[in-house]
Amino acid sequence: MRSLIFSSAVLLGAFSSGMVTAQPPQALAPAVPSAGAFLNITPKRLTFDRSRRNGTVFILNQGTEAVTVDLMVTDRVMFPDGQIFPIEDAVKRENGKLVTDQLRSAKDLIQISPRRVTLEPGRPQTVRIRLGSMPDPTLGEYRSHLTVTTIPPRDTGTTPEIAASGAQSQMSFQIVAVYGLSIPLIVRPGDPDVRASIEGAQIEYAAAQASRPQERPAPVLALDLVRQGTSSAYGNFDVRVVGARRGSDPLGAVRGVAVYPEIARRKVRIPLSRGPAPGERLEITFTDDDSSPGKVIAKAAL
């Protein structure tokens, strides 16, 4: 019996921020199923600067079986629609070369340990990350990604026992999924310059699903987040009704939205709990969740 193995790589990410982003302990990243394992990674990103040249990442297997993972530093870029692609795939996309040429890679600056580890269920693994050298501060921000990829078990495929038990003319197919998590590693040798604006905000209504034609179209706030500083911007969106009572829930919110230096702007879509009523005025706020948590980076009215 002959066994063919097909592997499909899946990168989970922000993709509100485009990428993987992993979540902090109180809000862990979505679980990644692989061979009975469910992986979480924290923190959601690491930033290095003149005062911080060492960092730590924790990976937790919340599944029921051990899983082996590879850890590596890779280069990925963001496109204006918010999607993040490995650089070798990005260059094949429309205008991909223009985007990839803007990336300042941190691959040669960063060292990680370990490079491969077996994660036992419920036991967190510490990954140590070190900035080996400080680049030229006049060139702005550098970035690469820590990518964690699962490895299929050693017994995947045909064993001698399995081969001996079946007819040689038979063929079976075994699909093995390979999963990955990725978080950005950002190097800022100079002072951060985080500035942004909100442009083109408008209400759109998503079409009802074909399977549920009776549902009303869902309201969505569409906008462009425009990076104005030389550093990447990373934060949270809130949409509130102007004059609403204090402590009321926002009409819409999206967490972990980034715009990286290789693009000038990215499109953002924020689902709303309802459409605005006649005469209501909306306030859109983008708040920093990186270098100055809680600071309002951009604000707009609609």
Side-chain angles (χ1 to χ4, degrees), residues 94-290:
E94 183 179 359
N95 297 323
K97 187 68 164 53
L98 296 176
V99 175
T100 58
D101 284 349
Q102 301 304 311
L103 176 69
R104 293 187 180 90
S105 172
K107 281 182 67 173
D108 295 336
L109 307 174
I110 292 174
Q111 303 163 2
I112 62 172
S113 178
R115 292 280 185 166
R116 174 174 291 189
V117 66
T118 297
L119 304 173
E120 298 295 336
R123 298 181 60 182
Q125 170 66 44
T126 299
V127 179
R128 304 195 183 282
I129 304 174
R130 178 177 177 272
L131 179 63
S133 59
M134 187 63 68
D136 184 348
T138 64
L139 298 180
E141 182 175 293
Y142 294 71
R143 189 185 82 257
S144 290
H145 287 74
L146 171 66
T147 300
V148 183
T149 309
T150 61
I151 301 173
R154 289 178 176 270
D155 57 358
T156 298
T158 302
T159 65
E161 292 76 14
I162 295 176
S165 64
Q168 292 297 320
S169 60
Q170 291 180 336
M171 178 179 292
S172 68
F173 295 88
Q174 181 180 12
I175 297 177
V176 178
V178 176
Y179 295 92
L181 289 174
S182 184
I183 64 170
L185 305 175
I186 296 170
V187 179
R188 288 175 176 162
D191 294 332
D193 178 19
V194 181
R195 292 176 288 124
S197 64
I198 297 170
E199 295 182 2
Q202 61 182 354
I203 301 293
E204 298 178 353
Y205 286 87
Q209 297 182 13
S211 59
R212 300 176 180 176
Q214 71 281 4
E215 291 188 355
R216 298 179 62 182
V220 174
L221 176 62
L223 57 86
D224 283 355
L225 178 61
V226 182
R227 180 183 54 80
Q228 297 176 326
T230 57
S231 301
S232 58
Y234 180 84
N236 306 316
F237 274 100
D238 282 293
V239 182
R240 297 182 180 274
V241 176
V242 175
R245 69 180 184 275
R246 192 178 186 87
S248 60
D249 292 333
L251 206 60
V254 174
R255 301 290 178 252
V257 179
V259 56
Y260 291 129
E262 60 266 25
I263 57 174
R265 63 173 63 213
R266 63 162 290 185
K267 297 185 178 301
V268 179
R269 294 174 62 83
I270 307 172
L272 303 180
S273 58
R274 61 171 177 82
E280 279 187 333
R281 185 175 175 85
L282 304 184
E283 183 179 74
I284 311 155
T285 305
F286 181 60
T287 305
D288 186 72
D289 195 20
D290 183 19

